[in-house]
Amino acid sequence: MKIAFYGSSLLSSYWNGAATYYRGLLKSLSQLGYEITFYEPDVYDRQKNRDIEAPDWCSVVVYEATRHALMQAAARAAEADIVVKASGVGFEDEALLRAVLDHARSDALTVFWDVDAPATLARLRDEPDHPLHRALQEIDLVLTYGGGDPVVWAYRAMGANECVPIYNALDPETHHPVAGNARFACDLAFLGNRLPDREARVGSFFLDPANQLPEQRFLLGGSGWGDKPLPANVGWLGHVGTRDHNAFNVTPKAVLNISRDSMAANGFSPATRVFEAAGAGACLITDAWLGVELFLKPGEEILVARDGDDVAEIMQALTPRRAKAIGQAALRRVLADHTYALRAAVTDAVFKRHLTQGTVEAAE
């Protein structure tokens, strides 16, 4: 079974938070027998900042950021049994969606895979003429990397035939416990690119606690923070490649997850960071969002903060011994319930159900 997958980037996590998600899911799907080709545009300097080279479990086609190259890549959708267009590819997204749908075979399963459903749905509500409105009438299936029932209901209201959340998860082969690294030694660390709909929450949940706890050391990783005024006890690392994420997670006493505004408001959207940190055995503090208890147990497998004051209070009371116990409990939970192998099994079942329905309908 061949999959043509059009996404932002499989090879680089540079300004591309979906990289870990794509890698974990597609590798696990390949282990179930799928033959996958990933198509990504050469934009945002991602090819200059690769974390991995093309893996043996997936072919990767990098195309130039031109309309001609896009159309050539889209034409290859005709070779696939399953055609996936992800959100946020980063170059001519609407044109790419239209082109892959036009080139997909009539018997192929067409999928829109939304890795930022709250933002996409907000745009659809604001733009009644957005091309995705029309495309949803043609697409067989919408998959999202989070969102739960609120996203499912919203997509159905927009005209989607079916919407299924496929949550973020852990790949134990890439994210796992390692020895600490002095470069990341601190009390609390946060990793995330500077984005307009998260910056205020980073100020509240990370920088404000740093000001309250001048005796503790904080580390900030991610791109875009170079001109941001930081408290004296906060160090900035810049971009941290995925190969360093395990050490980044296990070295500090605790690490912090801060959802973007839309994700926090929507709920049921655990970031890849949640599972990366848990997979490394880190003690994770997260901002509060609806549905967190479905993934990790608050107080035992994860610590939940309603605001920056909660973060400061947690850090004042957190001992290394308790932090280690929480990290180990989180590791056990994600290995049991939240691996990409399990998510791929759900995806595989959804794909097969749709493909079987299509075969039956064609024969009738």
Side-chain angles (χ1 to χ4, degrees), residues 3-272:
I3 300 178
F5 198 111
Y6 296 82
S8 52
S9 181
L10 188 77
L11 302 179
S12 176
S13 65
Y14 189 69
W15 287 104
N16 177 36
T20 298
Y21 180 71
Y22 290 150
R23 292 168 188 173
L25 265 172
L26 297 185
K27 182 170 75 171
S28 293
L29 283 171
S30 76
Q31 292 168 350
L32 295 177
Y34 289 91
E35 182 181 336
I36 306 167
T37 302
F38 192 99
Y39 299 88
E40 59 180 78
D42 186 358
V43 291
Y44 304 122
D45 285 332
R46 287 174 183 149
Q47 300 308 314
K48 298 177 183 177
N49 293 276
R50 290 186 176 186
D51 300 292
I52 64 172
E53 293 304 317
D56 58 8
W57 41 264
C58 179
S59 298
V60 180
V61 175
V62 179
Y63 58 93
E64 293 180 358
T66 66
R67 180 61 72 98
H68 177 69
L70 178 151
M71 291 301 176
Q72 285 186 314
R76 294 185 59 181
E79 303 168 8
D81 305 293
I82 301 172
V83 177
V84 178
K85 162 63 173 71
S87 65
V89 171
F91 176 72
E92 296 279 1
D93 269 82
E94 286 74 27
L96 178 61
L97 176 60
R98 184 68 262 156
V100 297
L101 290 177
D102 288 344
H103 286 287
R105 302 194 314 259
S106 61
D107 62 337
L109 174 65
T110 53
V111 181
F112 180 66
W113 206 317
D114 197 343
V115 296
D116 193 357
T120 303
L121 289 165
R123 189 159 59 250
L124 289 175
R125 284 190 288 267
D126 292 341
E127 301 177 29
D129 295 329
H130 194 285
L132 184 55
H133 283 288
R134 174 191 167 194
L136 286 175
Q137 313 301 317
E138 306 171 50
I139 294 168
D140 298 311
L141 174 66
V142 174
L143 299 179
T144 72
Y145 96 164
D149 285 345
V151 161
V152 172
W153 296 332
Y155 257 115
R156 288 179 176 171
M158 294 284 182
N161 294 304
E162 183 176 3
C163 177
V164 180
I166 305 294
Y167 293 104
N168 282 311
L170 170 69
D171 179 353
E173 294 181 0
T174 59
H175 292 93
H176 49 74
V178 299
N181 184 323
R183 179 188 173 205
F184 305 123
C186 66
D187 294 288
L188 182 65
F190 169 70
L191 178 61
N193 294 327
R194 187 179 184 181
L195 298 171
D197 65 345
R198 181 164 56 196
E199 184 168 358
R201 292 175 66 81
V202 172
S204 174
F205 283 86
F206 184 71
L207 299 181
D208 287 354
N211 280 316
Q212 293 182 50
L213 303 171
E215 74 285 357
Q216 295 196 20
R217 176 164 167 73
F218 290 60
L219 276 182
L220 173 63
S223 300
W225 300 102
D227 61 350
K228 177 78 172 180
L230 299 175
N233 59 334
V234 176
W236 178 53
L237 297 167
H239 175 66
V240 179
T242 53
R243 65 176 62 89
D244 292 323
H245 283 191
N246 290 323
F248 181 93
N249 286 323
V250 302
T251 305
K253 183 166 64 174
V255 293
L256 182 64
N257 173 68
I258 304 173
S259 305
R260 293 177 19 243
D261 290 342
S262 57
M263 293 294 187
N266 194 76
F268 302 96
S269 299
T272 54

Side-chain angles (χ1 to χ4, degrees), residues 249-250 253 255 276-284 301 323 326-328 330:
N249 286 323
V250 302
K253 183 166 64 174
V255 293
E276 287 184 9
C283 176
L284 180 64
E301 298 166 342
I326 291 169
Q328 290 301 305

